[in-house]
Amino acid sequence: MRTLIFATNNANKVKEVSGILHEQFNIRTLAEEGIDIEIDEPFDTPDANATRKAETIKSLTGKDCFSEDTGLFVPALGGAPGVKSARYAGDTATSDENIEKLLKGLNGQPDRGAYFKTVVCLLLRGKKYLFSGVCKGNIIAERRGKEGFGYDSVFLPEGSSRTFAEMTMAEKNFFSHRRKAIEKLAGHLENIDI
């Protein structure tokens, strides 16, 4: 089985990505590689942040790897929270605090459109590849559902009457921005010999 390092220690993301890639690849996390660092994400785009993470892990391990960066973009809030989604209400903010700030910002706002964007950066044999996925939807006024993580309880994807947090992982993956990007990654890997 082919092995790739996934430049994250976020258990939720590992579970989601592993569910998409199934048994095709042995996905190793940073912890499994003995790496315990927090990689900064100083840039304004998911592309640049994903690249920074992958390049950092490649320089530490010398191994092929991939990373991802995801943001929730709300046009009515000028694109916020964007790449700062996990730290929207502050560097140590909880998901609940981030959601609360988002809902306050949209209070009385007629346009509640939003989209998640994921960018995956693959570093393989000295080359860089970027794959992206987008899921459009709306931010609802109150939390619904207990599954998922982050903003899932207030994000209603286009074509669904349920939030991400009201879906099983398989149901969420049908719409998921991360699935779209990871499937592009998987399709690329299937077409080359690694």
Side-chain angles (χ1 to χ4, degrees), residues 5 9 29-37 39 56-57 60-61:
I5 300 173
N9 275 322
T29 65
L30 296 182
E32 290 170 326
E33 288 291 314
I35 300 170
D36 183 21
I37 62 169
I39 304 169
T56 299
I57 298 311
L60 287 173
T61 66

Side-chain angles (χ1 to χ4, degrees), residues 8-193:
T8 188
N9 275 322
N10 183 316
N12 289 309
K13 289 182 179 181
V14 172
K15 182 178 178 183
E16 197 170 330
V17 168
S18 295
I20 296 163
L21 292 178
H22 304 295
E23 302 300 318
Q24 293 173 279
F25 304 97
N26 175 29
I27 305 300
R28 291 184 58 81
T29 65
L30 296 182
E32 290 170 326
E33 288 291 314
I35 300 170
D36 183 21
I37 62 169
E38 192 70 34
I39 304 169
D40 62 337
E41 300 170 335
F43 303 109
D44 294 331
T45 67
D47 308 52
N49 285 326
T51 299
R52 161 67 70 92
K53 288 188 270 192
E55 288 176 344
T56 299
I57 298 311
K58 176 72 173 178
S59 69
L60 287 173
T61 66
K63 298 177 182 177
D64 293 329
C65 63
F66 71 97
S67 66
E68 67 86 40
D69 195 53
T70 296
L72 173 66
F73 298 84
V74 183
L77 298 178
V83 295
K84 305 236 184 302
S85 293
R87 304 173 302 283
Y88 189 41
D91 286 343
T92 59
T94 64
S95 289
D96 281 341
E97 290 167 337
N98 288 330
I99 289 171
E100 201 57 44
K101 181 174 180 179
L102 177 67
L103 294 180
K104 282 182 182 173
L106 285 173
N107 191 26
Q109 184 64 245
D111 177 11
R112 300 181 74 89
Y115 63 93
F116 277 109
K117 181 178 182 180
T118 292
V119 174
V120 172
C121 176
L122 169 68
L123 296 180
L124 183 67
R125 294 178 179 161
K127 291 185 179 179
K128 179 179 85 171
Y129 305 90
L130 294 173
F131 310 96
S132 64
V134 172
C135 178
K136 295 179 181 178
N138 287 283
I139 303 299
I140 61 172
E142 295 180 352
R143 296 169 178 81
R144 285 188 356 217
K146 303 286 186 191
E147 301 301 317
F149 59 99
Y151 297 90
D152 285 358
S153 64
V154 293
F155 185 78
L156 189 70
E158 279 185 1
S160 175
S161 60
R162 293 181 296 154
T163 67
F164 274 168
E166 293 176 297
M167 298 179 183
T168 65
M169 185 65 73
E171 290 169 332
K172 179 181 175 181
N173 277 342
F174 177 79
F175 296 96
S176 173
H177 45 289
R178 192 169 286 113
R179 174 191 60 82
K180 292 170 184 173
I182 294 295
E183 282 186 347
K184 290 176 185 175
L185 165 70
H188 177 77
L189 292 172
E190 284 172 4
N191 290 322
I192 59 175
D193 178 26

